[in-house]
Amino acid sequence: MRWCPLTRWTSVTSADVRWIAVLVIALDTSTPAVTAGLVDLDEGSPRVLAERVTINPRAHGELLMPQLVDVMEEAGRGFADVDAIVAGIGPGPFTGLRVGLATAAALGQACDVPVHPVCSLDAIAAAAEVTGPLLVATDARRKETYWAVYDGATRVDGPHVACPADVPTSGCAVAAGELAEAVGLDAVEPRFPTPAGLVAAAALDADPEPLVPLYLRRPDAEEPGKRKSVLTR
Amino acid sequence: MSRDTGGVMSERIVLGIESSCDETGVGLVRLSADGRVELLADAVASSVDEHARFGGVVPEIASRAHLAAMAPTMRRALDESGLSLSDVDAIAVTAGPGLAGALMVGVASAKAYATALNVPLFGVNHLGGHVAVDTLEHGPLPERCLALLVSGGHSQLLLVEGVGEKITEVGTTIDDAAGEAYDKVARILDLPYPGGPPIDQQAKLGDPKAIAFPRGLTGPRDAKYDFSFSGLKTAVARWVETEQRAGRDIPIPDVCASFQEAVADVLTAKAVRAARDHDIDTLVISGGVAANSRLSELARERCAAAGITLRVPRPRLCTDNGAMIAALGAHVLHSGAKPSPLDMPANPGLPVHTIVVQ
Ligand SMILES: [Zn+2]
């Protein structure tokens, strides 16, 4: 594993030098985009060596790993070279979301590297070139939206799940994410999490938080009511 | 990879991952050059308690539990075996049948482990795993045998002609699985979920001849090897309700014993008949319901009378686990099958004859 001092790509005082991983796999399956990328932090600022993004809400499980293999081949790197993994933890539709998280967790264990969770909306915000207040809105299905509000790169509200009409847009001029227009704001890029955004939003210099998905909804499950009679009168 | 001095592959370590229903399983086996398979580790995490108040497995709850349990269960299996991931030579995973969202967690994990470790991946059939697991306990199976799989999710009679090579379905349930009938009858009687153990317990105190419950699909014109348990469950409900309306106490042990007798009678009668008709002398019973005391007792009696060798893995191996998937993966690997592609989907309806996804 290779490491570089954090000071090389962000400004901290020399007394505060910490070391961070330099070759990072970024994965996200919280939206219809199946996202895989390899990011190098060695050159002062994050550099995307290769990435694959496919829009297909029904095939996260089929597409993610072949895409990642393509990424590694294009970048000419092996899994043994990887120093850390960054994974979007949603919020997002559950079945697809779990593909990215199961993949990230297994890669982390197999490569013996840390896996850093990132709120997928934070990754979108980090990649949006917006300095003022920003709303990020993605598709939660069932006619609802996942949303969060940012001031620069800092999340100031959310993530939440709500009807588009109930998303508070006052104070934000623009929105990023797949449902940017649906909440009635001017849309800016990106629509989906990007490898660069995921890595930018990750706290790579800290111990990783537990890799727990942001479901924001409880499972649909009903306790059985009283049994119906089988006797006809 | 472990090789002998001649450079020939002597023995290989196969890791199995199972996530088709409510158990997250990781197992490790050793495949010898002669095809023998030996159990090294078997770690299982179950979400059964989380489903209890719903009276059945809730798919989303199971899927969430699989994701949370996968890495810790992997850790436990490795610790149990004293091996590390770098010792693994092949990975097998349940590709189906099962719950879509649950399968997907295991399949995604297995793809990542196999890719990062640079070892072949085999997406295998869960039902074949229930058969293969017996070779961990009782050694190689004969060239042809019959398997009766009974659990909350399956009730099948399978003709096995090479556990890693050819499995065909001889009979199946046309409605409920046997274990499902247990769960529903338990609910009728206000017994806990899952219904198998409490009904088995109560049945030991009751009279199996007390109530004549129907034997589904046993008429002369019915499908010889298929099962039906829905009518039986309704008959129990009707009998119980009639007694309640008449103000009589329900003799729970007698109801359980009579219900259990009906299930065991049909399962064993059809299995023995299928074995005879196919000229087969070995029957394997596996799946969660295989642990049922009356089923195994009656199967023993009837197999002995028919000159059939009965093989039942210990209960721990009968229920869903990763060792059964590792075992099947080892047989598939030994047969020389091609690995599964990395874009392999999880297939909730994987047909039983597809032993490995190509
Ligand atoms: Zn099973």
PDB file of all heavy atoms in Angstrom, chain A residues 101-115:
ATOM      1  N   LEU A 101     -22.756  -1.616  -2.197  1.00  0.00           N
ATOM      2  CA  LEU A 101     -22.227  -1.750  -0.841  1.00  0.00           C
ATOM      3  C   LEU A 101     -21.671  -3.147  -0.585  1.00  0.00           C
ATOM      4  O   LEU A 101     -20.613  -3.303   0.051  1.00  0.00           O
ATOM      5  CB  LEU A 101     -23.319  -1.403   0.176  1.00  0.00           C
ATOM      6  CG  LEU A 101     -23.724   0.074   0.126  1.00  0.00           C
ATOM      7  CD1 LEU A 101     -24.787   0.383   1.168  1.00  0.00           C
ATOM      8  CD2 LEU A 101     -22.514   0.956   0.364  1.00  0.00           C
ATOM      9  N   ALA A 102     -22.364  -4.181  -1.087  1.00  0.00           N
ATOM     10  CA  ALA A 102     -21.856  -5.548  -0.942  1.00  0.00           C
ATOM     11  C   ALA A 102     -20.521  -5.674  -1.677  1.00  0.00           C
ATOM     12  O   ALA A 102     -19.573  -6.292  -1.177  1.00  0.00           O
ATOM     13  CB  ALA A 102     -22.869  -6.558  -1.491  1.00  0.00           C
ATOM     14  N   THR A 103     -20.457  -5.070  -2.855  1.00  0.00           N
ATOM     15  CA  THR A 103     -19.233  -5.107  -3.648  1.00  0.00           C
ATOM     16  C   THR A 103     -18.093  -4.408  -2.919  1.00  0.00           C
ATOM     17  O   THR A 103     -16.983  -4.945  -2.788  1.00  0.00           O
ATOM     18  CB  THR A 103     -19.471  -4.437  -5.013  1.00  0.00           C
ATOM     19  OG1 THR A 103     -20.558  -5.110  -5.666  1.00  0.00           O
ATOM     20  CG2 THR A 103     -18.232  -4.505  -5.896  1.00  0.00           C
ATOM     21  N   ALA A 104     -18.370  -3.205  -2.425  1.00  0.00           N
ATOM     22  CA  ALA A 104     -17.337  -2.428  -1.736  1.00  0.00           C
ATOM     23  C   ALA A 104     -16.841  -3.150  -0.485  1.00  0.00           C
ATOM     24  O   ALA A 104     -15.632  -3.225  -0.228  1.00  0.00           O
ATOM     25  CB  ALA A 104     -17.872  -1.049  -1.364  1.00  0.00           C
ATOM     26  N   ALA A 105     -17.777  -3.702   0.281  1.00  0.00           N
ATOM     27  CA  ALA A 105     -17.399  -4.388   1.522  1.00  0.00           C
ATOM     28  C   ALA A 105     -16.510  -5.592   1.211  1.00  0.00           C
ATOM     29  O   ALA A 105     -15.503  -5.830   1.886  1.00  0.00           O
ATOM     30  CB  ALA A 105     -18.641  -4.825   2.287  1.00  0.00           C
ATOM     31  N   ALA A 106     -16.884  -6.362   0.183  1.00  0.00           N
ATOM     32  CA  ALA A 106     -16.109  -7.558  -0.162  1.00  0.00           C
ATOM     33  C   ALA A 106     -14.735  -7.175  -0.706  1.00  0.00           C
ATOM     34  O   ALA A 106     -13.718  -7.799  -0.372  1.00  0.00           O
ATOM     35  CB  ALA A 106     -16.875  -8.405  -1.170  1.00  0.00           C
ATOM     36  N   LEU A 107     -14.683  -6.142  -1.533  1.00  0.00           N
ATOM     37  CA  LEU A 107     -13.389  -5.686  -2.059  1.00  0.00           C
ATOM     38  C   LEU A 107     -12.488  -5.230  -0.924  1.00  0.00           C
ATOM     39  O   LEU A 107     -11.293  -5.529  -0.896  1.00  0.00           O
ATOM     40  CB  LEU A 107     -13.586  -4.526  -3.044  1.00  0.00           C
ATOM     41  CG  LEU A 107     -14.163  -4.842  -4.422  1.00  0.00           C
ATOM     42  CD1 LEU A 107     -14.360  -3.546  -5.204  1.00  0.00           C
ATOM     43  CD2 LEU A 107     -13.267  -5.800  -5.193  1.00  0.00           C
ATOM     44  N   GLY A 108     -13.074  -4.481   0.014  1.00  0.00           N
ATOM     45  CA  GLY A 108     -12.296  -3.995   1.144  1.00  0.00           C
ATOM     46  C   GLY A 108     -11.690  -5.151   1.933  1.00  0.00           C
ATOM     47  O   GLY A 108     -10.519  -5.121   2.317  1.00  0.00           O
ATOM     48  N   GLN A 109     -12.521  -6.196   2.151  1.00  0.00           N
ATOM     49  CA  GLN A 109     -12.050  -7.359   2.908  1.00  0.00           C
ATOM     50  C   GLN A 109     -10.992  -8.132   2.116  1.00  0.00           C
ATOM     51  O   GLN A 109      -9.963  -8.524   2.663  1.00  0.00           O
ATOM     52  CB  GLN A 109     -13.252  -8.261   3.213  1.00  0.00           C
ATOM     53  CG  GLN A 109     -13.109  -9.065   4.467  1.00  0.00           C
ATOM     54  CD  GLN A 109     -14.414  -9.762   4.856  1.00  0.00           C
ATOM     55  OE1 GLN A 109     -15.326  -9.914   4.050  1.00  0.00           O
ATOM     56  NE2 GLN A 109     -14.500 -10.183   6.106  1.00  0.00           N
ATOM     57  N   ALA A 110     -11.251  -8.327   0.817  1.00  0.00           N
ATOM     58  CA  ALA A 110     -10.324  -9.127   0.005  1.00  0.00           C
ATOM     59  C   ALA A 110      -8.993  -8.402  -0.211  1.00  0.00           C
ATOM     60  O   ALA A 110      -7.940  -9.028  -0.261  1.00  0.00           O
ATOM     61  CB  ALA A 110     -10.967  -9.477  -1.330  1.00  0.00           C
ATOM     62  N   CYS A 111      -9.039  -7.087  -0.372  1.00  0.00           N
ATOM     63  CA  CYS A 111      -7.807  -6.307  -0.608  1.00  0.00           C
ATOM     64  C   CYS A 111      -7.204  -5.810   0.700  1.00  0.00           C
ATOM     65  O   CYS A 111      -6.134  -5.205   0.682  1.00  0.00           O
ATOM     66  CB  CYS A 111      -8.093  -5.113  -1.513  1.00  0.00           C
ATOM     67  SG  CYS A 111      -8.771  -5.546  -3.112  1.00  0.00           S
ATOM     68  N   ASP A 112      -7.921  -6.029   1.812  1.00  0.00           N
ATOM     69  CA  ASP A 112      -7.470  -5.580   3.112  1.00  0.00           C
ATOM     70  C   ASP A 112      -7.189  -4.078   3.121  1.00  0.00           C
ATOM     71  O   ASP A 112      -6.125  -3.626   3.542  1.00  0.00           O
ATOM     72  CB  ASP A 112      -6.234  -6.375   3.558  1.00  0.00           C
ATOM     73  CG  ASP A 112      -5.977  -6.225   5.048  1.00  0.00           C
ATOM     74  OD1 ASP A 112      -6.912  -5.844   5.768  1.00  0.00           O
ATOM     75  OD2 ASP A 112      -4.825  -6.458   5.487  1.00  0.00           O
ATOM     76  N   VAL A 113      -8.143  -3.314   2.619  1.00  0.00           N
ATOM     77  CA  VAL A 113      -8.041  -1.849   2.619  1.00  0.00           C
ATOM     78  C   VAL A 113      -9.316  -1.263   3.225  1.00  0.00           C
ATOM     79  O   VAL A 113     -10.355  -1.922   3.231  1.00  0.00           O
ATOM     80  CB  VAL A 113      -7.836  -1.279   1.194  1.00  0.00           C
ATOM     81  CG1 VAL A 113      -6.534  -1.774   0.588  1.00  0.00           C
ATOM     82  CG2 VAL A 113      -9.018  -1.598   0.290  1.00  0.00           C
ATOM     83  N   PRO A 114      -9.251  -0.037   3.741  1.00  0.00           N
ATOM     84  CA  PRO A 114     -10.450   0.557   4.330  1.00  0.00           C
ATOM     85  C   PRO A 114     -11.505   0.910   3.276  1.00  0.00           C
ATOM     86  O   PRO A 114     -11.176   1.206   2.131  1.00  0.00           O
ATOM     87  CB  PRO A 114      -9.923   1.835   5.005  1.00  0.00           C
ATOM     88  CG  PRO A 114      -8.614   2.119   4.362  1.00  0.00           C
ATOM     89  CD  PRO A 114      -8.060   0.806   3.908  1.00  0.00           C
ATOM     90  N   VAL A 115     -12.766   0.853   3.694  1.00  0.00           N
ATOM     91  CA  VAL A 115     -13.877   1.255   2.825  1.00  0.00           C
ATOM     92  C   VAL A 115     -14.536   2.477   3.462  1.00  0.00           C
ATOM     93  O   VAL A 115     -15.013   2.409   4.595  1.00  0.00           O
ATOM     94  CB  VAL A 115     -14.923   0.129   2.674  1.00  0.00           C
ATOM     95  CG1 VAL A 115     -16.037   0.565   1.731  1.00  0.00           C
ATOM     96  CG2 VAL A 115     -14.263  -1.154   2.173  1.00  0.00           C
TER      97      VAL A 115
END
